[in-house]
Structures are given as structure tokens and as C-alpha cells.
């Protein structure tokens, strides 16, 4: 990756101090992801229906509930800061807090495949993800996808990543979908694996997915000013298979992990500032898995791979991560009594109680629990089928990012927070850029007594933009015509007296 992004490494080595003009920061809302909704209607069986798991008290409380929505893999929900449910989806429609279809919340991701799963809920893990719009406490974006027949011969893949916007100020606080099924990426993608990580500024969001039959990851950046991207980057091995298992960021946002049984395990370093994946590690699992998932411990050190009959642990702090693979559980062949389905290992999720829960690959009323995921080896204390649900759960677990990750205060070079002007300070130089965001014209103030006119501007993937500034205001400002730039984030770099000075702006 260094050959593709040489400017990023040089920028990150520069010791600068930013004056951060923060308009909005981390959501201080501990209830936002505390409610897990599971279960489905399977007829007159006693153990059918909905299950709520509420972690708000610090321990998981379960409750059997009656609701019209069924879940089968696709599962996203969000609550307010007090832990009260706002809305949720199974990929077919969006329901409000009263379990009714939200206004304009029907007909999500329309396709023949979606229609096939209309009653059960969409059968795609991590096919939906809810993010709060930065700087707005009442509006949310739902990112979602479905499958299309891309070959005419039964090969189904997503051909778009869509988003829908929910405004909770409408319908008396029950919310309304004000934008729906808007394509944000039009490309053939791997199945599922939609996940997100908070930007290093502690406010914005990186969303990541993968192009089908390629080595290309696609990223979006959600800011208060809209969605930037998609940005493409070649990272890791070429992935031929359709996807369908699980992707996750470590809680500290420094690692990105993807596991799919046909293509095994890929681990990356992640730069929350630039959104760049680097230092790929590929691990061949090569077991008998029919499905699997990934989760990372609360301290971000230990990675867990749940792979049908095994659960593996990796030490992400080791310089040779692949060599640290150890088996912390072997499936004990336990079955649910009625029907007699195996309780094997499937998708995993770090919960608010700092335990990792692993669902079964079949419809059962059990979850596996890693009680001490911050501990090495067998000390992690994985107990199989330890958590009993009041109803059956069909291979479903919520898709939650880490909503509580704050700003990276150690990375002073990175800031995408904006106001009408921005300042970048060092001991010897001062730059002023305005307006930011900009639409047509951008101005940079440069102290020429300290800097030369050696100026370069790059887009987010490191391509240099050929812009030709003119001097205005008696030579104290550079003026740039940026009308031809594609909307998104851009970086600039001056070299003067052998001292690099860098910054960034947003083109709307």
C-alpha cells in the first residue's frame, strides 16, 4: 500500500498541532445498542415468537415478546440514549417502536430475492446497518442491500449498496422514512459484511464493503455534509467467492477483519484518519466450516473466529498474528430438543456486557458465550449453549458498530471537522483555509516568508489533482477553482524550507 499512498505515510510523520473546531462529538448514549431483537414466528410451537435481550442494567435480561417482524440473519435496530427502542429492520421493512411499519418504511431493497424472503426476513448476515447522521440527534441512515441474479444462471450477488434516511421528528416521534432505496454504490459486491468504524475525529463514519471477484474494498465517509465516496483501494487477496459471513472492526478501530469460509480470514490495519487498509494478513483456516463469524475482545487484543465446529483465538498484538492461532472450543455436538438441530458455531457479536455471544447456525434457543474475551487461550472461558433464549432464534444476531469510539487524540494530523474556516498550526507555519466545505472557490492563506509555492493537492486515495491557483489579495492568498472536482475529501501539502505543512478540505 505504500506505493499507492506514499503521501499518507509522509503526512502521518509530521508533528503538527490542530486547533479542532468541534461542533459535535461522540454520542454519549449508552443505551443506543443495548437492546437485541431476535426470534421468529414458527407456528404454534411454545418456543416460537420474539425475544428481547436488554443489556441496559449491565446484565442481559431476556423477555419473550409478540411482534409481527421475523428475523432471519438480517437484523439492525437502534435505541435512544435511555435505551428505549426507536426502530428496527429485518431487511424487508422498517418497524417503529410500536412494532408497526414505519411511515414509508415498507418495500426495502426491492428485488425478486427480497420478495422470496418477505415472510421470514432477509436471509443475509450484515446486510443492513444503522448510523446516526453526525451532528443530528433525530436523523439516521440505514445502509442496506439485497441480491440480484447477475448471470441468469442462479448466481446471486448485490449490485448496489443502498441507503434510506429516517427522521425521528416525524409522525409524533415514531419516525418516517424520508428517503428510501437510494443507490450510493452501484457495483457488484460481495454478499453482506456491511460494517462501519468511527472516523478519527470522533464524529464521522467510515462504511466499508467489498467488490465481487476482486481485491477491491469500497469505502464511504459519512459526515454532517453528506456521504463522500465511494473510495476504492486494492487490499489483501483477490476474493472470488460470493461472501456471506462476517466483517468487524476492533473496538479501538485499529484493525479490520473479514472471515468467509471460501476465502478464509483476512486481517488489516485500519487508519481511521484516511480510511486506508494496510498490512494485510491472510490466514487459511481450512476446516469443515459451513459458516462462521468474527468478533474482537473489548481490549482489542484477541480476535475470535467462530467456524461451525471450532472457535479460534488470535492475538492481534503479536507481530506474527497467524502463528498465534489456538482452538478455544470444539463443538460438543449438543442439539436442541425440538426440533433436534445442532447448536454449532455461527456469527459472533461483542455485547455491551463485554462478553462475546455466538449464535448457532440453526434455529435453536441457545447462544454460546465467551465470558472473558480479554483473556488468553482457554482462560477466555467459552461456554457452549450457556445462554438460553425464551424463543427460537434463526441464525440471527444484531449488526452493531462501536457507537462509543471517541476521537483519536494521538493523531493530530487528522481532522475532518469543519466550520467556516479552519486552522492548521505548527511551531513555524500557519495556514488558513476557507470556506470549508467549499463548492466553487477555495482560498488558502500562506505566509510566503516561510513557505515556497510548492503545493500539491490529493484526493482521498492519493491521486494528485492538477489544479492551478492564482494569487489574490496582494499575494497573500491562493485562489483555487474547484468546480471540476468530484465532491469528497481532499488533502493539500506545502513544502517550504524543507518543512511539510498539510491540511484538508471538503468539496461539496
Amino acid at each position: 500500500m505504500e506505493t499507492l499512498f506514499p503521501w499518507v505515510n509522509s503526512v502521518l510523520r509530521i508533528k503538527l498541532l490542530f486547533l479542532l473546531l468541534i461542533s459535535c462529538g461522540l454520542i454519549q448514549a449508552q443505551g443506543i445498542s443495548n437492546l437485541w431483537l431476535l426470534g421468529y414466528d414458527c407456528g404454534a410451537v411454545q418456543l416460537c415468537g420474539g425475544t428481547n435481550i436488554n443489556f441496559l442494567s449491565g446484565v442481559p435480561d431476556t423477555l419473550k415478546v409478540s411482534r409481527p417482524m421475523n428475523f432471519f440473519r438480517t437484523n439492525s435496530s437502534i435505541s435512544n440514549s435511555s435505551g428505549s427502542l426507536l426502530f428496527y429492520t429485518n431487511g424487508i421493512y422498517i418497524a417503529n417502536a410500536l412494532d408497526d411499519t414505519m411511515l414509508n418504511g415498507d418495500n426495502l431493497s426491492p428485488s425478486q430475492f427480497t420478495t422470496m424472503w418477505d415472510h421470514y426476513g432477509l436471509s443475509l448476515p450484515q446486510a443492513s446497518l444503522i448510523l446516526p447522521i453526525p451532528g443530528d440527534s433525530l436523523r439516521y441512515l440505514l445502509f442496506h442491500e439485497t441480491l440480484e441474479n447477475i448471470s441468469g444462471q442462479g448466481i446471486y450477488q448485490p449490485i448496489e449498496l443502498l441507503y434510506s434516511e429516517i427522521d425521528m421528528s416525524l409522525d409524533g416521534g415514531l419516525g418516517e422514512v424520508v428517503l428510501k432505496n437510494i443507490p450510493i454504490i452501484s457495483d457488484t459486491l460481495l454478499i453482506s459484511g456491511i460494517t462501519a468504524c468511527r472516523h478519527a475525529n470522533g464524529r464521522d463514519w467510515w462504511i466499508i464493503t467489498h467488490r465481487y471477484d476482486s481485491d477491491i474494498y469500497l469505502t464511504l465517509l459519512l459526515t454532517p455534509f453528506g456521504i463522500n465516496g465511494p473510495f476504492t483501494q486494492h487490499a489483501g487477496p483477490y476474493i472470488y467467492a460470493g461472501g456471506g459471513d462476517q466483517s468487524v472492526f476492533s473496538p479501538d478501530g485499529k484493525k479490520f477483519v473479514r472471515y468467509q469460509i471460501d476465502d478464509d480470514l483476512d486481517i488489516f490495519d485500519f487508519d481511521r484518519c484516511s480510511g486506508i487498509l494496510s498490512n494485510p494478513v491472510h490466514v487459511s483456516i481450512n476446516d469443515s466450516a459451513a459458516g462462521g463469524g468474527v468478533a474482537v475482545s473489548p481490549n482489542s487484543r484477541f480476535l475470535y473466529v467462530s467456524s461451525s465446529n471450532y472457535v479460534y483465538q488470535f492475538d492481534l498484538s503479536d507481530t506474527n498474528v497467524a502463528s498465534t492461532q489456538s482452538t478455544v472450543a470444539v463443538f460438543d455436538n449438543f442439539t436442541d430438543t425440538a426440533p433436534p438441530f445442532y447448536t454449532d458455531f455461527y456469527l459472533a457479536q461483542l455485547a455491551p456486557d463485554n462478553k462475546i455471544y455466538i449464535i448457532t447456525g440453526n434455529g435453536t434457543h441457545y447462544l454460546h458465550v465467551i465470558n472473558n474475551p480479554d483473556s488468553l487461550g482457554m482462560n477466555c472461558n467459552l461456554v457452549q449453549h450457556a445462554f438460553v433464549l425464551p424463543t427460537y432464534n434463526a441464525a440471527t444476531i444484531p449488526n452493531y458498530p462501536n457507537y462509543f469510539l471517541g476521537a483519536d487524540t494521538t493523531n493530530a494530523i487528522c481532522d475532518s471537522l469543519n466550520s467556516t474556516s479552519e486552522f492548521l498550526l505548527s511551531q513555524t507555519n500557519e495556514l488558513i483555509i476557507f470556506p470549508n466545505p467549499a463548492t466553487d472557490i477555495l482560498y488558502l492563506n500562506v505566509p510566503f516568508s516561510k513557505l515556497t509555492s510548492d503545493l500539491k493537492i490529493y484526493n482521498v486515495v492519493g491521486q494528485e489533482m492538477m489544479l492551478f491557483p492564482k494569487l489574490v489579495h496582494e499575494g497573500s492568498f491562493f485562489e483555487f477553482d474547484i468546480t471540476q472536482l468530484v465532491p469528497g475529501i481532499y488533502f493539500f501539502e506545502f513544502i517550504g524550507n524543507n518543512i511539510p505543512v498539510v491540511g484538508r478540505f471538503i468539496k461539496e
Side-chain angles (χ1 to χ4, degrees):
M1 298 301 293
E2 291 185 359
T3 58
L4 292 176
F5 308 104
W7 62 278
V8 173
N9 290 325
S10 64
V11 164
L12 294 178
R13 288 194 295 265
I14 303 167
K15 294 183 180 179
L16 299 172
L17 174 65
F18 277 95
L19 176 61
L20 301 178
L21 303 178
I22 299 176
S23 58
C24 297
L26 173 65
I27 296 177
Q28 301 299 326
Q30 292 300 315
I32 192 170
S33 56
N34 271 281
L35 186 59
W36 291 15
L37 310 180
L38 306 173
Y40 62 101
D41 179 11
C42 53
V45 180
Q46 181 180 0
L47 288 175
C48 293
T51 286
N52 286 0
I53 307 177
N54 196 332
F55 292 90
L56 195 62
S57 67
V59 296
D61 297 320
T62 59
L63 178 67
K64 182 176 180 179
V65 298
S66 176
R67 56 171 160 256
M69 182 178 290
N70 294 323
F71 294 104
F72 189 40
R73 293 197 177 97
T74 302
N75 183 316
S76 293
S77 63
I78 199 159
S79 301
N80 62 19
S81 60
S82 301
S84 298
L85 180 65
L86 295 177
F87 62 91
Y88 57 98
T89 182
N90 62 356
I92 305 296
Y93 70 100
I94 301 172
N96 61 28
L98 299 181
D99 299 318
D100 295 327
T101 301
M102 182 176 281
L103 289 180
N104 196 31
D106 60 347
N107 198 32
L108 279 183
S109 303
S111 77
Q112 182 182 9
F113 183 85
T114 302
T115 301
M116 289 168 52
W117 292 95
D118 180 71
H119 173 73
Y120 303 99
L122 201 60
S123 177
L124 301 172
Q126 288 189 303
S128 64
L129 179 74
I130 299 169
L131 295 177
I133 294 178
D136 193 319
S137 62
L138 294 174
R139 293 189 302 144
Y140 299 83
L141 290 188
L142 170 67
F143 294 88
H144 52 102
E145 66 183 20
T146 189
L147 302 187
E148 299 282 357
N149 189 340
I150 64 172
S151 68
Q153 299 177 354
I155 298 177
Y156 284 84
Q157 296 293 142
I159 61 171
E160 293 176 320
L161 179 63
L162 309 170
Y163 77 89
S164 299
E165 181 180 332
I166 296 91
D167 189 336
M168 292 304 301
S169 70
L170 303 177
D171 194 24
L174 292 175
E176 179 178 347
V177 180
V178 294
L179 293 172
K180 186 168 65 177
N181 298 329
I182 308 299
I184 189 63
I185 297 177
S186 295
D187 204 337
T188 306
L189 306 172
L190 293 184
I191 297 172
S192 309
I194 305 170
T195 189
C197 181
R198 198 177 283 277
H199 189 282
N201 63 23
R203 182 199 65 185
D204 302 334
W205 288 95
W206 293 107
I207 302 98
I208 191 165
T209 186
H210 196 289
R211 181 180 293 171
Y212 172 72
D213 197 18
S214 77
D215 65 348
I216 294 176
Y217 281 89
L218 302 166
T219 54
L220 302 166
L221 181 61
L222 173 62
T223 78
F225 313 104
I227 305 173
N228 295 276
F231 311 115
T232 63
Q233 55 185 299
H234 296 267
Y238 203 95
I239 299 178
Y240 296 90
D245 288 335
Q246 198 169 17
S247 299
V248 69
F249 285 95
S250 58
D252 63 7
K254 295 180 179 180
K255 297 287 185 179
F256 171 77
V257 181
R258 180 189 179 276
Y259 176 58
Q260 202 273 336
I261 58 172
D262 293 324
D263 295 290
D264 294 309
L265 177 67
D266 291 304
I267 305 168
F268 300 87
D269 291 339
F270 182 70
D271 187 332
R272 293 172 58 202
C273 175
S274 65
I276 292 173
L277 299 166
S278 63
N279 301 322
V281 174
H282 181 75
V283 181
S284 295
I285 301 295
N286 289 329
D287 63 13
S288 56
V294 286
V296 181
S297 61
N299 65 3
S300 295
R301 177 178 172 182
F302 295 111
L303 165 66
Y304 294 89
V305 177
S306 48
S307 186
S308 289
N309 293 316
Y310 306 92
V311 177
Y312 307 107
Q313 184 193 73
F314 295 84
D315 189 344
L316 296 175
S317 68
D318 197 285
T319 55
N320 186 355
V321 174
S323 70
T324 68
Q325 179 178 345
S326 65
T327 302
V328 295
V330 178
F331 176 47
D332 61 7
N333 290 315
F334 183 85
T335 61
D336 208 335
T337 54
F341 285 153
Y342 283 115
T343 59
D344 53 357
F345 305 117
Y346 190 30
L347 305 175
Q349 177 72 41
L350 177 62
D353 63 354
N354 287 328
K355 298 180 181 181
I356 291 174
Y357 292 80
I358 302 173
I359 61 174
T360 65
N362 297 301
T364 74
H365 69 297
Y366 293 100
L367 302 178
H368 312 289
V369 185
I370 305 178
N371 289 287
N372 307 112
D374 285 338
S375 298
L376 178 64
M378 299 302 291
N379 290 328
C380 72
N381 189 20
L382 188 156
V383 183
Q384 298 186 45
H385 43 83
F387 194 89
V388 182
L389 303 172
T391 69
Y392 285 118
N393 176 50
T396 302
I397 204 162
N399 184 22
Y400 282 130
N402 182 4
Y403 293 112
F404 311 110
L405 183 58
D408 183 357
T409 57
T410 67
N411 192 355
I413 198 65
C414 182
D415 169 35
S416 71
L417 297 179
N418 300 282
S419 66
T420 56
S421 64
E422 239 182 290
F423 301 86
L424 174 61
L425 305 176
S426 71
Q427 293 181 346
T428 58
N429 303 303
E430 177 176 306
L431 295 178
I432 300 176
I433 178 172
F434 65 94
N436 197 1
T439 303
D440 302 310
I441 302 297
L442 183 76
Y443 296 95
L444 295 177
N445 177 27
V446 183
F448 286 95
S449 60
K450 299 174 182 177
L451 299 178
T452 70
S453 59
D454 187 0
L455 166 67
K456 295 181 179 180
I457 294 180
Y458 305 89
N459 64 14
V460 77
V461 294
Q463 298 171 319
E464 185 176 354
M465 304 289 100
M466 295 295 105
L467 298 179
F468 303 98
K470 64 180 180 179
L471 294 175
V472 297
H473 197 60
E474 298 180 348
S476 60
F477 286 90
F478 282 132
E479 180 184 285
F480 293 85
D481 182 348
I482 61 171
T483 54
Q484 301 303 312
L485 292 183
V486 175
I489 293 177
Y490 294 86
F491 298 81
F492 57 84
E493 180 180 19
F494 289 92
I495 304 293
N497 300 330
N498 294 318
I499 301 174
V501 180
V502 299
R504 41 127 302 279
F505 66 92
I506 290 178
K507 161 67 190 300
E508 289 188 327

